[in-house]
Amino acid sequence: MSNKAWGGRFQSEPEAWVDAFNASINFDHLLIDEDIQGSIAHATMLAKQDILTQEESETIIKGLQDIQQDYHDGKVEFTEALEDIHLNIEHELIERIGSVGGKLHTGRSRNDQVATDLHLYTKKAVKEIINLIHSLQETIVKLADEHVDTIMPGYTHLQRAQPISFAHHIMTYFWMLERDKNRFEDALKRIDINPLGAAALSGTTHPIDRAKTQELLNFGSLYENSLDAVSDRDFVVETLNAISLVMIHLSRFSEEIIFWSTDEAKFITLSDAFSTGSSIMPQKKNPDMAELIRGKTGRATGHLMSMLMTLKGLPLAYNKDMQEDKEGLFDAVHTVTGSLRIFEGMLASLTVNTDRLNETVHQDFSNATELADYLVEKDVPFREAHAIVGQIVYWCIQHDCYLLDVPLEKYQEFSSKIDDTIYNYLKPENCLKRRKSYGSTGQEAVRHQIDVAKDLLS
């Protein structure tokens, strides 16, 4: 007969390489704290329901706590032969306290046990991610507060478009992250559900109290359907989706950082602490942290796709395929938490090259729309104004100058409506001041936006 926990009807042992393929202990050992937390709650409830004696429950709980401490002290080794964290802990418990340890599994299955562990882990991870997003948002707001009056070229199609506030540009990422945070907060409602007590798929004949384990594990609600409790991995997909969006937003911001730090742009200077050099080119200072975050985004979104494909077509209830729910989730959580920490440090320590940014908005045509608006205010139809400005820009390109350099008499050759007020009108700082619409790049609007953000953070 097999010596596996499930081996009563098996007459032989699998080969070691089959055990290795089947085992999950190499990654689900990360669930040790959640597994013991769930087991302590279960043992407590079993005693309350007189399924275990109080003495048996206390012996089991003390044994679990000792295993947990010894594991973290490096005194416990788990084995692939026992497959997963659940059977490894159960085996260790029985070794330490005897057959009473075998009573812990009364009224539950590994199916609801692993679901409980994963809910507890995901809830903890999501709360940590929310806190890290909040911290990064605070850093963005601080940097924005310092640069409301710093003007930079805004881009569309990676072509200079209109002058904008540097603060307005980076605050865009605050709002992306705010939506990310909201997604995680909303997902918590579907993560914070107790599956314990669903057993394998149909519940149990033992007089358990699921509401008690819900209370002990601080879950917000209970699964109403035992099949759903053990087969639901929507909360994993939802978490991976939210992580993917965070990573995509960080990747977009990373791309800006990478471009801004080039010699061609020189908009910012990254701290040495978040840059690396070249093994062959001594002059290089590479934005490798930003590039790594951009690269790791593919990894995180890949885990989402993998989980979706794992669930596609699975019949109820639990299937071994679901063992694949953990590695991707664990790695995605590790990736996004690391990326958020790195990004906050990178952003907090960079230098904004304000003189260079001011230079750029005086050496481009990002104020061309202002000239068109100026003509519109002089009662020139916009389409006609657009054509006139296009001709003026073409003249400037031919004569290697910008709109603020064009002599008044030349302006008036294109339109008699242009007078000497045009030069003050086209100054980049005045271009911003005239943007007064809600949510715009004007200094007044940006300061209001930052105040709204501060209120949200507080």
Side-chain angles (χ1 to χ4, degrees), residues 418-433:
I418 300 175
D419 59 35
D420 61 3
T421 59
I422 189 60
Y423 299 105
N424 194 52
Y425 196 95
L426 291 179
K427 288 179 179 178
E429 58 270 26
N430 292 333
C431 295
L432 261 64
K433 285 176 184 175

mmCIF file of all heavy atoms in Angstrom, residues 418-433:
data_model
loop_
_atom_site.group_PDB
_atom_site.id
_atom_site.type_symbol
_atom_site.label_atom_id
_atom_site.label_comp_id
_atom_site.label_asym_id
_atom_site.label_seq_id
_atom_site.Cartn_x
_atom_site.Cartn_y
_atom_site.Cartn_z
ATOM 1 N N ILE A 418 -2.551 90.456 -37.471
ATOM 2 C CA ILE A 418 -1.496 90.256 -36.466
ATOM 3 C C ILE A 418 -0.861 91.590 -36.125
ATOM 4 O O ILE A 418 -0.464 92.358 -37.025
ATOM 5 C CB ILE A 418 -0.429 89.266 -36.975
ATOM 6 C CG1 ILE A 418 -1.074 87.906 -37.279
ATOM 7 C CG2 ILE A 418 0.692 89.093 -35.939
ATOM 8 C CD1 ILE A 418 -0.118 86.898 -37.904
ATOM 9 N N ASP A 419 -0.760 91.905 -34.831
ATOM 10 C CA ASP A 419 -0.080 93.124 -34.401
ATOM 11 C C ASP A 419 1.000 92.770 -33.381
ATOM 12 O O ASP A 419 1.276 91.585 -33.126
ATOM 13 C CB ASP A 419 -1.078 94.158 -33.857
ATOM 14 C CG ASP A 419 -1.883 93.619 -32.674
ATOM 15 O OD1 ASP A 419 -1.314 92.840 -31.864
ATOM 16 O OD2 ASP A 419 -3.074 93.963 -32.546
ATOM 17 N N ASP A 420 1.606 93.760 -32.743
ATOM 18 C CA ASP A 420 2.758 93.499 -31.882
ATOM 19 C C ASP A 420 2.404 92.782 -30.573
ATOM 20 O O ASP A 420 3.298 92.388 -29.809
ATOM 21 C CB ASP A 420 3.531 94.791 -31.596
ATOM 22 C CG ASP A 420 2.698 95.845 -30.881
ATOM 23 O OD1 ASP A 420 1.517 95.557 -30.556
ATOM 24 O OD2 ASP A 420 3.223 96.949 -30.652
ATOM 25 N N THR A 421 1.122 92.621 -30.309
ATOM 26 C CA THR A 421 0.748 91.844 -29.110
ATOM 27 C C THR A 421 1.047 90.355 -29.281
ATOM 28 O O THR A 421 0.998 89.597 -28.308
ATOM 29 C CB THR A 421 -0.757 92.016 -28.796
ATOM 30 O OG1 THR A 421 -1.531 91.563 -29.923
ATOM 31 C CG2 THR A 421 -1.095 93.479 -28.486
ATOM 32 N N ILE A 422 1.350 89.956 -30.494
ATOM 33 C CA ILE A 422 1.575 88.530 -30.775
ATOM 34 C C ILE A 422 2.746 87.967 -29.985
ATOM 35 O O ILE A 422 2.723 86.813 -29.555
ATOM 36 C CB ILE A 422 1.791 88.287 -32.290
ATOM 37 C CG1 ILE A 422 1.806 86.785 -32.594
ATOM 38 C CG2 ILE A 422 3.080 88.944 -32.786
ATOM 39 C CD1 ILE A 422 0.548 86.061 -32.235
ATOM 40 N N TYR A 423 3.777 88.770 -29.745
ATOM 41 C CA TYR A 423 4.981 88.242 -29.096
ATOM 42 C C TYR A 423 4.718 87.856 -27.635
ATOM 43 O O TYR A 423 5.184 86.807 -27.166
ATOM 44 C CB TYR A 423 6.126 89.260 -29.201
ATOM 45 C CG TYR A 423 6.473 89.531 -30.643
ATOM 46 C CD1 TYR A 423 6.080 90.719 -31.259
ATOM 47 C CD2 TYR A 423 7.165 88.585 -31.398
ATOM 48 C CE1 TYR A 423 6.372 90.965 -32.592
ATOM 49 C CE2 TYR A 423 7.459 88.820 -32.736
ATOM 50 C CZ TYR A 423 7.049 90.013 -33.331
ATOM 51 O OH TYR A 423 7.328 90.226 -34.658
ATOM 52 N N ASN A 424 3.968 88.678 -26.937
ATOM 53 C CA ASN A 424 3.614 88.341 -25.560
ATOM 54 C C ASN A 424 2.661 87.149 -25.537
ATOM 55 O O ASN A 424 2.739 86.283 -24.668
ATOM 56 C CB ASN A 424 2.975 89.549 -24.871
ATOM 57 C CG ASN A 424 2.895 89.375 -23.365
ATOM 58 O OD1 ASN A 424 3.897 89.063 -22.719
ATOM 59 N ND2 ASN A 424 1.706 89.564 -22.811
ATOM 60 N N TYR A 425 1.781 87.101 -26.533
ATOM 61 C CA TYR A 425 0.791 86.030 -26.625
ATOM 62 C C TYR A 425 1.453 84.670 -26.808
ATOM 63 O O TYR A 425 0.979 83.658 -26.291
ATOM 64 C CB TYR A 425 -0.139 86.332 -27.807
ATOM 65 C CG TYR A 425 -1.427 85.544 -27.818
ATOM 66 C CD1 TYR A 425 -2.591 86.080 -27.278
ATOM 67 C CD2 TYR A 425 -1.492 84.271 -28.383
ATOM 68 C CE1 TYR A 425 -3.798 85.369 -27.291
ATOM 69 C CE2 TYR A 425 -2.684 83.547 -28.399
ATOM 70 C CZ TYR A 425 -3.825 84.099 -27.851
ATOM 71 O OH TYR A 425 -5.003 83.391 -27.864
ATOM 72 N N LEU A 426 2.560 84.636 -27.549
ATOM 73 C CA LEU A 426 3.209 83.368 -27.901
ATOM 74 C C LEU A 426 4.230 82.879 -26.877
ATOM 75 O O LEU A 426 4.775 81.782 -27.028
ATOM 76 C CB LEU A 426 3.900 83.490 -29.269
ATOM 77 C CG LEU A 426 2.984 83.611 -30.481
ATOM 78 C CD1 LEU A 426 3.812 83.752 -31.762
ATOM 79 C CD2 LEU A 426 2.046 82.421 -30.590
ATOM 80 N N LYS A 427 4.494 83.677 -25.840
ATOM 81 C CA LYS A 427 5.449 83.213 -24.821
ATOM 82 C C LYS A 427 4.906 81.949 -24.159
ATOM 83 O O LYS A 427 3.724 81.906 -23.773
ATOM 84 C CB LYS A 427 5.688 84.296 -23.773
ATOM 85 C CG LYS A 427 6.517 85.461 -24.285
ATOM 86 C CD LYS A 427 6.714 86.516 -23.206
ATOM 87 C CE LYS A 427 7.556 87.678 -23.715
ATOM 88 N NZ LYS A 427 7.705 88.728 -22.686
ATOM 89 N N PRO A 428 5.733 80.913 -24.017
ATOM 90 C CA PRO A 428 5.251 79.639 -23.467
ATOM 91 C C PRO A 428 4.553 79.778 -22.119
ATOM 92 O O PRO A 428 3.528 79.131 -21.879
ATOM 93 C CB PRO A 428 6.524 78.795 -23.358
ATOM 94 C CG PRO A 428 7.414 79.329 -24.428
ATOM 95 C CD PRO A 428 7.147 80.800 -24.466
ATOM 96 N N GLU A 429 5.084 80.648 -21.244
ATOM 97 C CA GLU A 429 4.464 80.784 -19.919
ATOM 98 C C GLU A 429 3.052 81.368 -20.028
ATOM 99 O O GLU A 429 2.154 81.019 -19.242
ATOM 100 C CB GLU A 429 5.324 81.646 -18.991
ATOM 101 C CG GLU A 429 5.615 83.047 -19.483
ATOM 102 C CD GLU A 429 6.880 83.156 -20.331
ATOM 103 O OE1 GLU A 429 7.273 82.155 -20.956
ATOM 104 O OE2 GLU A 429 7.466 84.263 -20.355
ATOM 105 N N ASN A 430 2.841 82.224 -21.042
ATOM 106 C CA ASN A 430 1.499 82.781 -21.237
ATOM 107 C C ASN A 430 0.568 81.781 -21.917
ATOM 108 O O ASN A 430 -0.648 81.820 -21.711
ATOM 109 C CB ASN A 430 1.578 84.078 -22.039
ATOM 110 C CG ASN A 430 2.253 85.183 -21.247
ATOM 111 O OD1 ASN A 430 2.203 85.174 -20.011
ATOM 112 N ND2 ASN A 430 2.900 86.121 -21.931
ATOM 113 N N CYS A 431 1.165 80.912 -22.725
ATOM 114 C CA CYS A 431 0.362 79.837 -23.323
ATOM 115 C C CYS A 431 -0.295 79.006 -22.222
ATOM 116 O O CYS A 431 -1.460 78.611 -22.328
ATOM 117 C CB CYS A 431 1.236 78.928 -24.189
ATOM 118 S SG CYS A 431 1.944 79.730 -25.641
ATOM 119 N N LEU A 432 0.468 78.733 -21.148
ATOM 120 C CA LEU A 432 -0.074 77.958 -20.038
ATOM 121 C C LEU A 432 -1.116 78.752 -19.266
ATOM 122 O O LEU A 432 -2.185 78.225 -18.937
ATOM 123 C CB LEU A 432 1.053 77.522 -19.089
ATOM 124 C CG LEU A 432 1.574 76.087 -19.277
ATOM 125 C CD1 LEU A 432 2.220 75.923 -20.653
ATOM 126 C CD2 LEU A 432 2.555 75.722 -18.183
ATOM 127 N N LYS A 433 -0.813 80.016 -18.990
ATOM 128 C CA LYS A 433 -1.715 80.823 -18.164
ATOM 129 C C LYS A 433 -3.112 80.930 -18.772
ATOM 130 O O LYS A 433 -4.102 81.029 -18.047
ATOM 131 C CB LYS A 433 -1.130 82.224 -17.966
ATOM 132 C CG LYS A 433 0.028 82.264 -16.979
ATOM 133 C CD LYS A 433 0.627 83.661 -16.887
ATOM 134 C CE LYS A 433 1.860 83.650 -15.971
ATOM 135 N NZ LYS A 433 2.531 84.973 -15.971
#
